[in-house]
Amino acid sequence: MSGSITLFDTAEGDLDEIAWRIREVSAIMPQLVMEIIRIINDPRSLAIELQVAVERDPSLAARLLRTANSAAYGLRRRVGTVRDAISYLGYNEVKNLAITASLADVFKTDATVGCYSRKGLWRHLVSVAAASRFVASRCGIRRFEEAYMAGLLHDFGLILMDQFLHKVFNDIVRAVASGRPLCECERQRLGFDHTQLGERVACHWNLPASTMAAIRYHHRADACESDSRPIAQAVEIADFLCSAKQRSAVGIGRVDSPSGSTFAALSIDRQGYTVLWDDLDRELVKADVLMALE
């Protein structure tokens, strides 16, 4: 976030009003990225359409190539063109990289308050993205590749609060540092929490249903009643694991454990959890490589 645009210095304004005003000025998700998402979600689209869209932004194309050639992917031959990157990585991975690159620009300017830092939130988002896809894949979730985007955007509401409700957000972070749950502090101060704000602002972007479900239900996936519940459950578990590994959203590694029914729904028993915990470290190393690419 290159600075903050404080729309509300106080808690005045209901959720609908605040979400509407944020949508009016928000450029967090560039139009080009929305076009890339549209192309990939359209089963009739062609690879050349995606190539042309990426090449419209030279910086995005360059970052895509750097990422494809990074140690995180370990391709056997060097990728030299956007066309080759699409061919090697596939549509969904190009979409994930495009969104990651766009969000990275939002976090170029760091800011801290107490235990919170924007760079720490960015590390959390990329980590949960990688962890969500990892958990979803291990648990045999159909269309598990959607979990990356769901994990990357799950705390979208926190990004919005930091950028557009900055002074109020700072107060919330200070309250969290005293040991109170994040969502409880948000609801007391604002009347809603970051899951509700994130969903309300993102709803007009035509994001995948699984991403919207993760934004809204990543702290209580059992409440999700749509077909996207398994992805939301994978994101909730990934959020918990990453926070326990000191990659938390607001600098405090305490996130409530998902319910037993959430673990059971994904067939994760005590032994399976231990394996996930141990194996996740390798995925987080890859996330760190992606985060370091400028």
Side-chain angles (χ1 to χ4, degrees):
M1 301 163 207
S2 54
S4 299
I5 306 171
T6 302
L7 295 182
F8 294 85
D9 291 339
T10 68
E12 294 178 1
D14 62 18
L15 176 58
D16 287 332
E17 178 188 1
I18 292 174
W20 180 82
R21 290 184 63 181
I22 288 175
R23 285 199 299 265
E24 288 296 296
V25 300
S26 177
I28 286 177
M29 195 70 76
Q31 190 60 41
L32 175 60
V33 175
M34 299 308 300
E35 175 66 9
I36 289 172
I37 293 174
R38 184 199 64 76
I39 291 171
I40 291 172
N41 288 343
D42 184 353
R44 299 167 297 177
S45 66
L46 303 174
I48 187 62
E49 295 178 69
L50 180 57
Q51 177 185 336
V52 169
V54 172
E55 289 176 342
R56 279 169 43 201
D57 184 341
S59 64
L60 173 58
R63 185 173 292 180
L64 172 64
L65 294 177
R66 285 198 302 273
T67 304
N69 288 310
S70 73
Y73 287 88
L75 298 180
R76 293 186 177 182
R77 55 172 290 190
R78 185 169 183 79
V79 172
T81 67
V82 170
R83 178 180 178 181
D84 286 343
I86 294 172
S87 176
Y88 274 93
L89 298 175
Y91 272 29
N92 278 296
E93 196 62 15
V94 171
K95 174 185 69 177
N96 291 338
L97 292 177
I99 295 168
T100 304
S102 294
L103 279 184
D105 290 336
V106 174
F107 290 90
K108 280 185 175 179
T109 301
D110 195 18
T112 62
V113 53
C115 56
Y116 169 80
S117 74
R118 286 177 183 163
K119 288 187 181 296
L121 176 57
W122 177 229
R123 188 179 189 228
H124 173 74
L125 295 176
V126 178
S127 297
V128 173
S132 297
R133 180 168 55 187
F134 172 70
V135 171
S137 176
R138 281 288 182 91
C139 295
I141 294 176
R142 191 171 62 89
R143 299 177 66 87
F144 70 88
E145 67 279 356
E146 293 183 4
Y148 181 94
M149 184 173 172
L152 187 69
L153 295 178
H154 78 285
D155 270 338
F156 180 61
L158 288 181
I159 301 174
L160 298 174
M161 284 187 179
D162 184 5
Q163 185 166 13
F164 300 107
L165 302 164
H166 190 65
K167 293 181 180 180
V168 178
F169 178 72
N170 287 352
D171 293 339
I172 290 170
V173 170
R174 294 187 185 99
V176 171
S178 68
R180 296 169 57 199
L182 174 61
C183 289
E184 177 186 306
C185 294
E186 291 169 340
R187 288 192 290 268
Q188 181 174 2
R189 191 74 169 80
L190 292 164
F192 55 85
D193 61 41
H194 67 277
T195 70
Q196 296 167 286
L197 178 63
E199 179 191 42
R200 194 66 57 90
V201 175
C203 69
H204 72 297
W205 283 348
N206 197 31
L207 296 176
S210 56
T211 298
M212 296 298 298
I215 291 173
R216 183 68 180 90
Y217 295 107
H218 63 273
H219 288 302
R220 51 187 191 97
D222 281 350
C224 179
E225 298 181 350
S226 72
D227 293 340
S228 297
R229 180 189 289 180
I231 294 290
Q233 290 170 325
V235 173
E236 183 178 15
I237 291 171
D239 185 30
F240 174 71
L241 289 171
C242 289
S243 296
K245 288 183 179 289
Q246 305 305 309
R247 294 168 180 253
S248 65
V250 295
I252 297 176
R254 183 179 60 81
V255 170
D256 289 340
S257 173
S259 67
S261 59
T262 289
F263 284 110
L266 299 188
S267 301
I268 301 174
D269 56 16
R270 186 178 298 275
Q271 180 179 0
Y273 176 83
T274 300
V275 172
L276 281 177
W277 175 266
D278 292 340
D279 291 351
L280 180 59
D281 289 334
R282 289 194 295 272
E283 297 300 314
L284 296 182
V285 169
K286 296 178 183 177
D288 288 339
V289 171
L290 294 179
M291 199 181 118
L293 289 171
E294 297 294 339

